[in-house]
Amino acid sequence: AQSVAQPEDQVNVAEGNPLTVKCTYSVSGNPYLFWYVQYPNRGLQFLLKYITGDNLVKGSYGFEAEFNKSQTSFHLKKPSALVSDSALYFCAVDTGFQKLVFGTGTRLLVSP
Amino acid sequence: GAVVSQHPSRVICKSGTSVKIECRSLDFQATTMFWYRQFPKQSLMLMATSNEGSKATYEQGVEKDKFLINHASLTLSTLTVTSAHPEDSSFYICSAKDVLAGTNEQFFGPGTRLTVL
């Protein structure tokens, strides 16, 4: 079965420092991977996706993610965190049946 | 960009009543919409896949008679929680795929918070 794991419930980082939110996946076949962000009481906003091509994917709000096939990872990164980046981040994989399976989410807290 | 709306954003109802939640794709056509449920501090759980003009496909463990889904047009899907109980209180989120875009991307609505007293 397709699945994603987000090993960290929460990530704390100081403003201006680089941030990484981890995601590993388990899929059969080629993975379609996504990152979404959720602010309190809001729906999900799309950040970026990997379908094929370059392993480094650039997305919205300065975020990027690196697809690593050998490590089956798709970590989300940003060179310099902002306080406004504080939110809940979800990694997801397309199961191939047009369904998304989400990770458990990682809460990012960026301190001033 | 593709926009999905949900109505209402919040609803409070009494136990035993039914509640209808609407999901609309505002600027694109969506043959497929998805309904998710999210408990506090938890991930999204797919409830059902809504297909325009046909019956919804429910995930294992989701009661189809309790969560009625209708996808009558290419821009509207509705979720009706029938005979709601306090344990149905949750955040319900819909998403839609743009038929013409040909991508795997889902566009999410802002969610509906249901509180059953």
Side-chain angles (χ1 to χ4, degrees):
Chain A
Q2 322 283 38
S3 65
V4 291
Q6 292 181 244
E8 304 155 316
D9 290 337
Q10 184 165 307
V11 169
N12 297 307
V13 65
E15 187 174 33
N17 284 359
L19 69 87
T20 299
V21 183
K22 297 180 180 178
C23 171
T24 58
Y25 64 89
S26 175
V27 302
S28 54
N30 295 321
Y32 292 169
L33 296 160
F34 301 80
W35 275 102
Y36 289 89
V37 60
Q38 184 181 33
Y39 294 96
N41 296 311
R42 301 288 298 277
L44 271 65
Q45 295 180 32
F46 171 79
L47 280 179
L48 50 80
K49 64 182 176 183
Y50 173 83
I51 304 296
T52 186
D54 290 340
N55 289 342
L56 185 63
V57 179
K58 293 188 181 298
S60 306
Y61 312 120
F63 284 93
E64 57 189 28
E66 185 170 10
F67 171 69
N68 188 317
K69 189 173 184 178
S70 63
Q71 296 184 5
T72 62
S73 67
F74 189 56
H75 300 334
L76 181 70
K77 299 181 180 183
K78 187 173 182 179
S80 178
L82 299 173
V83 173
S84 57
D85 292 330
S86 299
L88 190 56
Y89 290 81
F90 289 100
C91 182
V93 63
D94 186 306
T95 65
F97 296 99
Q98 301 192 22
K99 299 178 184 179
L100 286 177
V101 172
F102 287 86
T104 50
T106 299
R107 186 165 301 281
L108 173 66
L109 288 177
V110 182
S111 55
Chain B
V3 179
V4 175
S5 69
Q6 279 183 245
H7 178 78
S9 58
R10 286 179 182 271
V11 56
I12 300 173
C13 68
K14 293 182 178 180
S15 186
T17 60
S18 294
V19 175
K20 180 184 285 187
I21 302 170
E22 294 185 346
C23 177
R24 293 182 184 272
S25 56
L26 297 184
D27 50 2
F28 65 99
Q29 294 182 331
T31 56
T32 303
M33 292 184 172
F34 302 88
W35 286 97
Y36 296 85
R37 184 173 180 177
Q38 184 180 29
F39 290 102
K41 299 184 179 181
Q42 293 191 28
S43 187
L44 280 73
M45 299 300 296
L46 179 65
M47 298 174 64
T49 303
S50 170
N51 298 298
E52 186 267 337
S54 64
K55 291 183 178 180
T57 303
Y58 290 82
E59 296 300 302
Q60 191 172 4
V62 178
E63 299 177 59
K64 61 181 181 181
D65 294 330
K66 177 151 187 76
F67 298 99
L68 301 178
I69 291 172
N70 183 280
H71 193 156
S73 77
L74 286 172
T75 59
L76 174 63
S77 175
T78 60
L79 168 68
T80 301
V81 183
T82 62
S83 186
H85 287 93
E87 57 265 31
D88 298 325
S89 298
S90 190
F91 195 51
Y92 292 87
I93 303 175
C94 73
S95 70
K97 283 193 172 185
D98 186 336
V99 175
L100 298 179
T103 68
N104 290 53
E105 186 175 342
Q106 292 183 24
F107 300 95
F108 286 81
T112 296
R113 183 161 301 283
L114 170 63
T115 303
V116 184
L117 303 176

